[in-house]
């Protein structure tokens, strides 16, 4: 059985993004610890496909959609300073162990954003106490 990819059967960037969100959610689910390596491989495949579809024109049925409703898949609560510090430590460890220059550059920007979130979180928690 062969699958042909054309504009009618190929998933677009929106569909692929939803698939990636589901895989990422499964990655952080404690019941899936034994499956993380396989899930990471699946996520990598979806991300490579997503990267290719992002360069394609926006399909007509995806234009003017507006902001999607919250589906409850992720928790958008603000992170506590200790959680952000843990993330910064993990990202810094990743930077020390990686060798791929492009990935290191991307991780560096994410680390920078996390430090800014940590800074804002510290200021916000100071205002509540005061």
């Amino acid at each position: 059985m062969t699958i042909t990819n054309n504009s009618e059967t190929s998933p677009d960037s929106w569909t692929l993004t939803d698939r990636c969100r589901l895989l990422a959610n499964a990655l952080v689910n404690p019941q899936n610890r034994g499956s993380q390596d396989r899930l990471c491989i699946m996520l990598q495949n979806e991300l490579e496909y997503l990267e290719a579809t992002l360069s394609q024109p926006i399909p007509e049925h995806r234009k003017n959609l507006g902001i999607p409703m919250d589906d409850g898949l992720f928790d958008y609560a603000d992170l506590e300073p200790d959680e952000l510090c843990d993330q910064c430590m993990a990202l810094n460890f990743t930077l020390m162990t990686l060798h791929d220059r492009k990935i290191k550059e991307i991780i560096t920007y994410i680390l920078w954003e996390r430090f800014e979130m940590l800074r804002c979180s510290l200021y916000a928690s100071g205002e509540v106490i005061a």
Side-chain angles (χ1 to χ4, degrees):
M1 178 175 150
T2 57
I3 299 173
T4 57
N5 288 329
N6 61 41
S7 61
E8 293 177 9
T9 61
S10 297
D12 57 28
S13 301
W14 287 262
T15 302
L16 290 166
T17 299
D18 281 342
R19 287 182 188 174
C20 291
R21 290 177 71 243
L22 290 169
L23 287 168
N25 183 265
L27 276 172
V28 299
N29 188 332
Q31 287 81 24
N32 290 332
R33 292 290 179 228
S35 305
Q36 280 191 335
D37 290 341
R38 181 69 182 131
L39 287 168
C40 283
I41 292 169
M42 291 171 67
L43 184 56
Q44 181 63 33
N45 290 336
E46 291 295 324
L47 286 168
E48 288 172 3
Y49 199 26
L50 175 60
E51 184 179 38
T53 61
L54 286 172
S55 64
Q56 297 174 358
I58 298 174
E60 285 300 318
H61 71 284
R62 294 292 188 180
K63 292 182 179 177
N64 305 318
L65 288 177
I67 298 173
M69 292 178 49
D70 182 9
D71 57 9
L73 188 60
F74 288 92
D75 179 10
Y76 294 105
D78 290 335
L79 296 171
E80 295 294 321
D82 59 334
E83 294 171 312
L84 289 164
C85 183
D86 288 344
Q87 290 180 7
C88 290
M89 291 172 68
L91 289 165
N92 188 57
F93 176 79
T94 302
L95 283 173
M96 292 187 301
T97 58
L98 283 175
H99 301 291
D100 186 294
R101 202 168 153 207
K102 180 180 177 183
I103 295 173
K104 284 181 87 160
E105 182 179 345
I106 293 167
I107 295 292
T108 302
Y109 279 104
I110 296 170
L111 178 59
W112 175 56
E113 289 172 343
R114 289 296 187 241
F115 275 122
E116 184 60 20
M117 288 174 68
L118 177 57
R119 178 178 165 267
C120 291
S121 176
L122 290 173
Y123 276 96
S125 63
E127 290 174 6
V128 173
I129 294 171

